[in-house]
Structure formats: C-alpha cells, structure tokens
mmCIF file of all heavy atoms in Angstrom:
data_model
loop_
_atom_site.group_PDB
_atom_site.id
_atom_site.type_symbol
_atom_site.label_atom_id
_atom_site.label_comp_id
_atom_site.label_asym_id
_atom_site.label_seq_id
_atom_site.Cartn_x
_atom_site.Cartn_y
_atom_site.Cartn_z
ATOM 1 N N PRO A 23 98.132 92.420 115.558
ATOM 2 C CA PRO A 23 99.163 93.183 114.844
ATOM 3 C C PRO A 23 99.511 92.604 113.477
ATOM 4 O O PRO A 23 99.996 93.326 112.615
ATOM 5 C CB PRO A 23 100.364 93.146 115.799
ATOM 6 C CG PRO A 23 100.150 91.952 116.643
ATOM 7 C CD PRO A 23 98.677 91.811 116.793
ATOM 8 N N ALA A 24 99.264 91.294 113.266
ATOM 9 C CA ALA A 24 99.547 90.716 111.947
ATOM 10 C C ALA A 24 98.611 91.303 110.894
ATOM 11 O O ALA A 24 99.047 91.742 109.819
ATOM 12 C CB ALA A 24 99.414 89.197 111.994
ATOM 13 N N VAL A 25 97.313 91.318 111.188
ATOM 14 C CA VAL A 25 96.342 91.911 110.260
ATOM 15 C C VAL A 25 96.621 93.397 110.103
ATOM 16 O O VAL A 25 96.627 93.935 108.985
ATOM 17 C CB VAL A 25 94.906 91.668 110.775
ATOM 18 C CG1 VAL A 25 93.894 92.436 109.926
ATOM 19 C CG2 VAL A 25 94.585 90.181 110.774
ATOM 20 N N TRP A 26 96.836 94.057 111.207
ATOM 21 C CA TRP A 26 97.158 95.481 111.218
ATOM 22 C C TRP A 26 98.391 95.757 110.381
ATOM 23 O O TRP A 26 98.404 96.642 109.515
ATOM 24 C CB TRP A 26 97.339 95.873 112.671
ATOM 25 C CG TRP A 26 97.955 97.178 113.004
ATOM 26 C CD1 TRP A 26 98.258 98.210 112.171
ATOM 27 C CD2 TRP A 26 98.367 97.599 114.312
ATOM 28 N NE1 TRP A 26 98.824 99.249 112.883
ATOM 29 C CE2 TRP A 26 98.899 98.899 114.182
ATOM 30 C CE3 TRP A 26 98.326 97.006 115.560
ATOM 31 C CZ2 TRP A 26 99.395 99.602 115.281
ATOM 32 C CZ3 TRP A 26 98.812 97.715 116.647
ATOM 33 C CH2 TRP A 26 99.344 99.000 116.503
ATOM 34 N N GLY A 27 99.448 94.999 110.601
ATOM 35 C CA GLY A 27 100.706 95.235 109.892
ATOM 36 C C GLY A 27 100.609 94.995 108.400
ATOM 37 O O GLY A 27 101.026 95.823 107.589
ATOM 38 N N VAL A 28 100.042 93.859 108.009
ATOM 39 C CA VAL A 28 99.984 93.512 106.582
ATOM 40 C C VAL A 28 99.087 94.475 105.814
ATOM 41 O O VAL A 28 99.439 94.935 104.713
ATOM 42 C CB VAL A 28 99.495 92.057 106.416
ATOM 43 C CG1 VAL A 28 99.212 91.752 104.945
ATOM 44 C CG2 VAL A 28 100.538 91.076 106.967
ATOM 45 N N LEU A 29 97.921 94.800 106.365
ATOM 46 C CA LEU A 29 96.978 95.649 105.641
ATOM 47 C C LEU A 29 97.492 97.072 105.441
ATOM 48 O O LEU A 29 97.027 97.776 104.538
ATOM 49 C CB LEU A 29 95.635 95.689 106.378
ATOM 50 C CG LEU A 29 94.751 94.450 106.247
ATOM 51 C CD1 LEU A 29 93.428 94.672 106.939
ATOM 52 C CD2 LEU A 29 94.534 94.065 104.791
ATOM 53 N N GLN A 30 98.436 97.511 106.271
ATOM 54 C CA GLN A 30 98.942 98.875 106.121
ATOM 55 C C GLN A 30 99.691 99.072 104.809
ATOM 56 O O GLN A 30 99.823 100.201 104.335
ATOM 57 C CB GLN A 30 99.843 99.228 107.307
ATOM 58 C CG GLN A 30 99.035 99.474 108.564
ATOM 59 C CD GLN A 30 99.906 99.774 109.767
ATOM 60 O OE1 GLN A 30 99.777 100.821 110.387
ATOM 61 N NE2 GLN A 30 100.790 98.863 110.112
ATOM 62 N N LEU A 31 100.172 97.985 104.211
ATOM 63 C CA LEU A 31 100.751 98.095 102.872
ATOM 64 C C LEU A 31 99.721 98.597 101.873
ATOM 65 O O LEU A 31 100.065 99.248 100.881
ATOM 66 C CB LEU A 31 101.281 96.732 102.418
ATOM 67 C CG LEU A 31 102.629 96.296 102.984
ATOM 68 C CD1 LEU A 31 102.931 94.865 102.546
ATOM 69 C CD2 LEU A 31 103.734 97.230 102.533
ATOM 70 N N TRP A 32 98.467 98.317 102.127
ATOM 71 C CA TRP A 32 97.380 98.714 101.232
ATOM 72 C C TRP A 32 96.697 99.992 101.701
ATOM 73 O O TRP A 32 96.463 100.899 100.911
ATOM 74 C CB TRP A 32 96.369 97.575 101.146
ATOM 75 C CG TRP A 32 95.153 97.906 100.336
ATOM 76 C CD1 TRP A 32 95.089 98.076 98.978
ATOM 77 C CD2 TRP A 32 93.828 98.126 100.832
ATOM 78 N NE1 TRP A 32 93.791 98.375 98.598
ATOM 79 C CE2 TRP A 32 93.004 98.408 99.718
ATOM 80 C CE3 TRP A 32 93.262 98.094 102.099
ATOM 81 C CZ2 TRP A 32 91.650 98.663 99.843
ATOM 82 C CZ3 TRP A 32 91.901 98.350 102.229
ATOM 83 C CH2 TRP A 32 91.116 98.631 101.112
ATOM 84 N N THR A 33 96.400 100.094 103.002
ATOM 85 C CA THR A 33 95.610 101.228 103.485
ATOM 86 C C THR A 33 96.378 102.546 103.399
ATOM 87 O O THR A 33 95.771 103.589 103.127
ATOM 88 C CB THR A 33 95.166 100.996 104.942
ATOM 89 O OG1 THR A 33 96.322 100.754 105.762
ATOM 90 C CG2 THR A 33 94.224 99.817 105.036
ATOM 91 N N GLY A 34 97.688 102.526 103.635
ATOM 92 C CA GLY A 34 98.447 103.766 103.533
ATOM 93 C C GLY A 34 98.397 104.343 102.135
ATOM 94 O O GLY A 34 98.118 105.534 101.936
ATOM 95 N N GLY A 35 98.648 103.492 101.126
ATOM 96 C CA GLY A 35 98.570 103.953 99.747
ATOM 97 C C GLY A 35 97.163 104.333 99.335
ATOM 98 O O GLY A 35 96.962 105.263 98.548
ATOM 99 N N LEU A 36 96.160 103.623 99.874
ATOM 100 C CA LEU A 36 94.773 103.947 99.545
ATOM 101 C C LEU A 36 94.418 105.360 100.000
ATOM 102 O O LEU A 36 93.693 106.085 99.303
ATOM 103 C CB LEU A 36 93.837 102.927 100.203
ATOM 104 C CG LEU A 36 92.346 103.092 99.914
ATOM 105 C CD1 LEU A 36 92.059 102.888 98.427
ATOM 106 C CD2 LEU A 36 91.533 102.102 100.753
ATOM 107 N N SER A 37 94.947 105.774 101.160
ATOM 108 C CA SER A 37 94.653 107.129 101.642
ATOM 109 C C SER A 37 95.262 108.191 100.736
ATOM 110 O O SER A 37 94.765 109.326 100.688
ATOM 111 C CB SER A 37 95.159 107.311 103.071
ATOM 112 O OG SER A 37 96.566 107.454 103.120
ATOM 113 N N ASP A 38 96.336 107.855 100.004
ATOM 114 C CA ASP A 38 96.881 108.794 99.019
ATOM 115 C C ASP A 38 95.889 109.031 97.885
ATOM 116 O O ASP A 38 95.840 110.119 97.312
ATOM 117 C CB ASP A 38 98.185 108.246 98.422
ATOM 118 C CG ASP A 38 99.330 108.223 99.418
ATOM 119 O OD1 ASP A 38 99.353 109.084 100.315
ATOM 120 O OD2 ASP A 38 100.206 107.352 99.284
ATOM 121 N N ARG A 39 95.088 108.003 97.584
ATOM 122 C CA ARG A 39 94.193 108.086 96.425
ATOM 123 C C ARG A 39 92.796 108.582 96.790
ATOM 124 O O ARG A 39 92.219 109.392 96.065
ATOM 125 C CB ARG A 39 94.092 106.705 95.762
ATOM 126 C CG ARG A 39 95.416 106.212 95.211
ATOM 127 C CD ARG A 39 95.232 104.970 94.347
ATOM 128 N NE ARG A 39 94.771 103.821 95.123
ATOM 129 C CZ ARG A 39 95.570 102.994 95.778
ATOM 130 N NH1 ARG A 39 96.885 103.180 95.776
ATOM 131 N NH2 ARG A 39 95.082 101.959 96.441
ATOM 132 N N ILE A 40 92.238 108.097 97.914
ATOM 133 C CA ILE A 40 90.845 108.438 98.216
ATOM 134 C C ILE A 40 90.723 109.473 99.331
ATOM 135 O O ILE A 40 89.619 109.957 99.600
ATOM 136 C CB ILE A 40 90.030 107.190 98.598
ATOM 137 C CG1 ILE A 40 90.478 106.637 99.962
ATOM 138 C CG2 ILE A 40 90.133 106.124 97.521
ATOM 139 C CD1 ILE A 40 89.582 105.533 100.484
ATOM 140 N N GLY A 41 91.837 109.816 99.976
ATOM 141 C CA GLY A 41 91.797 110.834 101.015
ATOM 142 C C GLY A 41 91.986 110.259 102.406
ATOM 143 O O GLY A 41 91.856 109.059 102.642
ATOM 144 N N ARG A 42 92.294 111.151 103.337
ATOM 145 C CA ARG A 42 92.629 110.746 104.704
ATOM 146 C C ARG A 42 91.410 110.729 105.635
ATOM 147 O O ARG A 42 91.276 109.843 106.467
ATOM 148 C CB ARG A 42 93.641 111.720 105.308
ATOM 149 C CG ARG A 42 94.733 112.199 104.375
ATOM 150 C CD ARG A 42 95.811 111.205 104.136
ATOM 151 N NE ARG A 42 96.979 111.847 103.538
ATOM 152 C CZ ARG A 42 97.791 111.247 102.684
ATOM 153 N NH1 ARG A 42 97.590 109.988 102.333
ATOM 154 N NH2 ARG A 42 98.835 111.887 102.181
ATOM 155 N N LYS A 43 90.547 111.723 105.527
ATOM 156 C CA LYS A 43 89.514 111.964 106.541
ATOM 157 C C LYS A 43 88.623 110.754 106.773
ATOM 158 O O LYS A 43 88.451 110.302 107.919
ATOM 159 C CB LYS A 43 88.673 113.183 106.143
ATOM 160 C CG LYS A 43 87.516 113.444 107.105
ATOM 161 C CD LYS A 43 86.776 114.719 106.746
ATOM 162 C CE LYS A 43 85.647 114.978 107.730
ATOM 163 N NZ LYS A 43 85.003 116.286 107.512
ATOM 164 N N TRP A 44 88.062 110.216 105.703
ATOM 165 C CA TRP A 44 87.086 109.148 105.896
ATOM 166 C C TRP A 44 87.745 107.808 106.158
ATOM 167 O O TRP A 44 87.125 106.917 106.744
ATOM 168 C CB TRP A 44 86.133 109.108 104.704
ATOM 169 C CG TRP A 44 85.355 110.378 104.622
ATOM 170 C CD1 TRP A 44 85.446 111.348 103.671
ATOM 171 C CD2 TRP A 44 84.399 110.859 105.581
ATOM 172 N NE1 TRP A 44 84.611 112.399 103.957
ATOM 173 C CE2 TRP A 44 83.950 112.132 105.119
ATOM 174 C CE3 TRP A 44 83.875 110.352 106.767
ATOM 175 C CZ2 TRP A 44 83.004 112.874 105.819
ATOM 176 C CZ3 TRP A 44 82.937 111.100 107.467
ATOM 177 C CH2 TRP A 44 82.515 112.349 106.989
ATOM 178 N N MET A 45 88.998 107.656 105.783
ATOM 179 C CA MET A 45 89.747 106.467 106.187
ATOM 180 C C MET A 45 89.909 106.450 107.704
ATOM 181 O O MET A 45 89.734 105.415 108.360
ATOM 182 C CB MET A 45 91.121 106.457 105.521
ATOM 183 C CG MET A 45 91.137 106.021 104.080
ATOM 184 S SD MET A 45 91.050 104.225 103.881
ATOM 185 C CE MET A 45 92.689 103.763 104.458
ATOM 186 N N ILE A 46 90.251 107.615 108.268
ATOM 187 C CA ILE A 46 90.435 107.705 109.715
ATOM 188 C C ILE A 46 89.101 107.510 110.435
ATOM 189 O O ILE A 46 89.006 106.756 111.414
ATOM 190 C CB ILE A 46 91.056 109.055 110.093
ATOM 191 C CG1 ILE A 46 92.467 109.167 109.500
ATOM 192 C CG2 ILE A 46 91.101 109.235 111.604
ATOM 193 C CD1 ILE A 46 93.080 110.554 109.600
ATOM 194 N N THR A 47 88.063 108.172 109.953
ATOM 195 C CA THR A 47 86.746 108.045 110.582
ATOM 196 C C THR A 47 86.275 106.600 110.598
ATOM 197 O O THR A 47 85.870 106.067 111.647
ATOM 198 C CB THR A 47 85.724 108.916 109.837
ATOM 199 O OG1 THR A 47 86.143 110.287 109.882
ATOM 200 C CG2 THR A 47 84.348 108.788 110.467
ATOM 201 N N ALA A 48 86.315 105.954 109.430
ATOM 202 C CA ALA A 48 85.861 104.564 109.346
ATOM 203 C C ALA A 48 86.720 103.643 110.194
ATOM 204 O O ALA A 48 86.217 102.726 110.851
ATOM 205 C CB ALA A 48 85.872 104.105 107.885
ATOM 206 N N GLY A 49 88.027 103.888 110.194
ATOM 207 C CA GLY A 49 88.923 103.038 110.972
ATOM 208 C C GLY A 49 88.642 103.124 112.462
ATOM 209 O O GLY A 49 88.642 102.106 113.165
ATOM 210 N N MET A 50 88.387 104.326 112.980
ATOM 211 C CA MET A 50 88.080 104.481 114.395
ATOM 212 C C MET A 50 86.772 103.784 114.755
ATOM 213 O O MET A 50 86.646 103.175 115.826
ATOM 214 C CB MET A 50 88.005 105.961 114.762
ATOM 215 C CG MET A 50 89.295 106.735 114.568
ATOM 216 S SD MET A 50 90.650 106.155 115.609
ATOM 217 C CE MET A 50 90.142 106.741 117.209
ATOM 218 N N ILE A 51 85.799 103.852 113.864
ATOM 219 C CA ILE A 51 84.514 103.190 114.125
ATOM 220 C C ILE A 51 84.687 101.672 114.129
ATOM 221 O O ILE A 51 84.148 100.973 115.001
ATOM 222 C CB ILE A 51 83.473 103.630 113.092
ATOM 223 C CG1 ILE A 51 83.128 105.111 113.307
ATOM 224 C CG2 ILE A 51 82.219 102.764 113.169
ATOM 225 C CD1 ILE A 51 82.233 105.698 112.244
#
C-alpha cells in the first residue's frame, strides 16, 4: 500500500493527460 499510495499522486494526474483506458489495461496486467 505504500507504493500504491504514493504513486497515485502521479498516476491519477497522468490519466488526465494520456487517457484512462490504457492506464487501466496496463495496471491490471
């Protein structure tokens, strides 16, 4: 949860810029 929690400061904003679909796909993989 530490890695998960800290990185969400970056990944949430990144999805605003590059899109949601492939962030979700890659994350699940």
Side-chain angles (χ1 to χ4, degrees):
V25 172
W26 167 9
V28 171
L29 284 184
Q30 286 178 122
L31 281 174
W32 176 70
T33 56
L36 182 64
S37 75
D38 291 330
R39 297 190 294 274
I40 69 172
R42 320 283 195 212
K43 176 175 181 173
W44 297 112
M45 282 281 289
I46 296 170
T47 300
M50 298 297 287
I51 292 173

